[in-house]
Amino acid sequence: QVQLVESGGGSVQAGGSLTLSCAASSESSLNYCIAWFRQAPGKEREWLAQFYTGTGITIYGDSAKGRFTANHDGGDVNLAGAKTTLSLQLDRLRPDDTANYYCAAHYMRCRGDFRAADFPYWGQGTQVTISS
């Protein structure tokens, strides 16, 4: 099982920046995929970035490319119970970025065709509101 806690949401004006953090802790020493998703009202949950602890490689969804950057703190994820953080830097924010942002995880390699239903572990989410 992976415990996930998000923080860093808030309200900013268009063009501004925010940094979200996802504190992850796994009960296992296995590698796992940590992902950032977001869900706007009336829309499906979409993934923004996925980071695989086994390779240190991050992949980005179309909505994130060019404006959002995921950074891992380098914590030792292969120690059961160890905590690690995956942050998401959001730049040049727009009103249509307004959404609830979630952190998710599963014990598999990250894949670009994964959807929200493929992730069994979720944080509680953090709200991001962008005003024009």
Side-chain angles (χ1 to χ4, degrees), residues 13-83:
Q13 290 189 325
S17 299
L18 276 175
T19 301
L20 309 181
S21 291
C22 172
S25 176
S26 171
E27 297 180 352
S28 167
S29 60
L30 295 174
N31 288 305
Y32 55 101
C33 177
I34 309 173
W36 276 103
F37 281 79
R38 70 181 180 185
Q39 187 168 23
K43 293 190 176 181
E44 289 189 2
R45 199 168 289 193
E46 63 169 340
W47 73 270
L48 302 171
Q50 297 183 46
F51 172 86
Y52 184 58
T53 62
T55 59
I57 292 175
T58 302
I59 58 174
Y60 293 93
D62 290 340
S63 296
K65 291 176 181 176
R67 295 190 300 124
F68 299 169
T69 306
N71 293 291
H72 181 241
D73 68 350
D76 186 357
V77 298
N78 296 123
L79 181 66
K83 292 185 179 180

Side-chain angles (χ1 to χ4, degrees), residues 34-128:
I34 309 173
W36 276 103
F37 281 79
R38 70 181 180 185
Q39 187 168 23
K43 293 190 176 181
E44 289 189 2
R45 199 168 289 193
E46 63 169 340
W47 73 270
L48 302 171
Q50 297 183 46
F51 172 86
Y52 184 58
T53 62
T55 59
I57 292 175
T58 302
I59 58 174
Y60 293 93
D62 290 340
S63 296
K65 291 176 181 176
R67 295 190 300 124
F68 299 169
T69 306
N71 293 291
H72 181 241
D73 68 350
D76 186 357
V77 298
N78 296 123
L79 181 66
K83 292 185 179 180
T84 191
T85 300
L86 183 70
S87 63
L88 187 67
Q89 174 74 28
L90 312 176
D91 293 317
R92 302 192 301 281
L93 286 161
R94 308 185 300 232
D96 61 357
D97 292 317
T98 295
N100 213 342
Y101 285 68
Y102 297 91
C103 195
H106 66 57
Y107 289 104
M108 295 177 68
R109 286 181 176 268
C110 302
R111 282 172 43 182
D113 60 350
F114 278 144
R115 296 190 173 189
D118 296 307
F119 290 80
Y121 308 113
W122 290 86
Q124 80 286 355
T126 185
Q127 178 67 35
V128 171

